Amino acid sequence: MAKVFVTVDEIKEESRFIDTRFSLTNADEGLQLYKEGHMNGAVYWDLNRDLSDMTSKEGRHPMPKKEQLQSLFERTGLRYEDIIYIYDQGGMPFAARAWYMLKFAGFPNVYIVNGGFSALAEKFEVTTAQKEYAQTTLTLQWQEQMYAAREDVKNIADGKEQATLLDARAANRYRGEHEPLDPVAGHIPTAKNFDWEQVKKGASLAPTEELLAKVEKDEEVVVYCGSGVTASPLFAVLTEAGYEQLRLYVGSYSDWITAYEVETGENK
């Protein structure tokens, strides 16, 4: 199995920390929390400014361009040999989003801290000082097999490509009974559903028997949600469980509905 999640007891203090705390209902909250106190040496990555390309029309939290990600990694002073620990409030999707971006860029030693900031604060120094790192120059090894574009998903929905679409939203949104964010209710045709919040246990994320029963290890699986954020935890926990044929449709449902029809109800 691939190691994705760590507890605070597994962390070495000389490692790099990335703080990704955020709130989908208050976009300023994460940075404010960081300024009030963070792990010593931690840099802050904002969901909207750093981990999304909000100028793109491909969904509500569009995939950053490769050059945008490279610039983020380099100005943050990251190196491929770094051991990188990412945290959010714990049991949230934001650290998993950053983890996905770093793995997409080929970083080998990247981990999500289960327990989040609170667990770290019990063991490591918390500071308000913001450390500046020297800019690096990286030659990135992009892992294209981790990413699904809209047309890839269309081929799956049309039966031209064999893969399972897995919708990470709440069941009532998936079935089209309730849609608080997008103008059209429903899901991408053929998709199954597994609410990402079912892999939460307090401030931690972990695979569950129910999730592993939903998709087989030898299946090709494409996960999506509303805007690509809450699908990231499903991608991460399936990776932890040893699933290797995984892709994330970052544009997700909010991108799909700009071009294609949806269906409602439930697929078993």
Side-chain angles (χ1 to χ4, degrees), residues 4-224:
V4 176
F5 297 93
V6 296
T7 64
V8 292
D9 294 333
E10 298 174 79
I11 295 175
K12 299 176 177 64
E13 199 161 1
E14 64 272 17
S15 307
R16 290 294 306 270
F17 285 112
I18 299 174
D19 188 322
T20 61
R21 287 176 289 174
F22 193 79
S23 168
L24 291 170
T25 57
N26 179 1
D28 298 322
E29 182 177 299
L31 181 57
Q32 185 60 40
L33 290 171
Y34 172 79
K35 289 178 178 178
E36 291 172 2
H38 50 265
M39 292 303 100
N40 189 32
V43 296
Y44 181 71
W45 285 2
D46 183 271
L47 173 65
N48 290 343
R49 290 190 292 272
D50 299 313
L51 299 174
S52 308
D53 178 6
M54 301 303 275
T55 67
S56 169
K57 303 300 183 186
E58 296 178 355
R60 281 183 277 109
H61 288 101
M63 181 78 175
K65 299 178 180 66
K66 289 178 179 176
E67 53 266 32
Q68 291 172 314
L69 287 174
Q70 179 147 358
S71 174
L72 172 65
F73 305 150
E74 291 179 343
R75 70 175 182 265
T76 306
L78 295 182
R79 302 168 299 172
Y80 259 177
E81 59 266 31
D82 288 335
I83 299 174
I84 303 168
Y85 295 109
I86 313 169
Y87 66 89
D88 52 25
Q89 296 96 316
M92 303 293 277
F94 312 116
R97 170 79 166 202
W99 171 86
Y100 173 83
M101 298 298 175
L102 284 161
K103 297 304 288 185
F104 178 65
F107 283 82
N109 305 306
V110 188
Y111 306 98
I112 298 167
V113 181
N114 263 337
F117 176 77
S118 296
L120 285 165
E122 292 178 2
K123 182 174 181 181
F124 298 108
E125 178 187 353
V126 175
T127 181
T128 58
Q130 297 183 30
K131 184 171 180 178
E132 295 290 330
Y133 292 90
Q135 181 157 325
T136 53
T137 301
L138 298 168
T139 301
L140 299 177
Q141 300 164 17
W142 300 103
Q143 305 299 301
E144 303 287 356
Q145 76 280 2
M146 294 176 60
Y147 176 76
R150 185 198 300 158
E151 292 310 309
D152 297 324
V153 176
K154 182 69 163 67
N155 287 337
I156 296 167
D158 289 347
K160 296 177 182 176
E161 182 180 340
Q162 190 63 40
T164 298
L165 299 174
L166 190 60
D167 187 318
R169 296 173 302 159
N172 61 350
R173 290 184 68 194
Y174 162 80
R175 292 192 298 263
E177 297 164 1
H178 174 66
E179 183 45 64
L181 297 171
D182 292 308
V184 179
H187 59 262
I188 298 173
T190 76
K192 297 180 179 181
N193 176 234
F194 192 87
D195 184 348
W196 81 277
E197 298 221 23
Q198 294 178 78
V199 301
K200 289 176 62 172
K201 188 174 182 180
S204 296
L205 301 170
T208 65
E209 291 182 8
E210 292 80 10
L211 174 60
L212 304 187
K214 182 69 71 168
V215 286
E216 301 291 337
K217 274 193 179 178
D218 59 357
E219 286 184 71
E220 174 120 8
V221 180
V222 177
V223 293
Y224 77 91

Side-chain angles (χ1 to χ4, degrees), residues 234-259:
L234 284 192
F235 191 102
V237 298
L238 286 168
T239 300
E240 174 91 357
Y243 287 65
E244 296 179 349
Q245 299 183 80
L246 293 173
R247 286 182 283 170
L248 178 60
Y249 176 24
V250 180
S252 282
Y253 186 76
S254 56
D255 174 59
W256 175 267
I257 60 174
T258 65

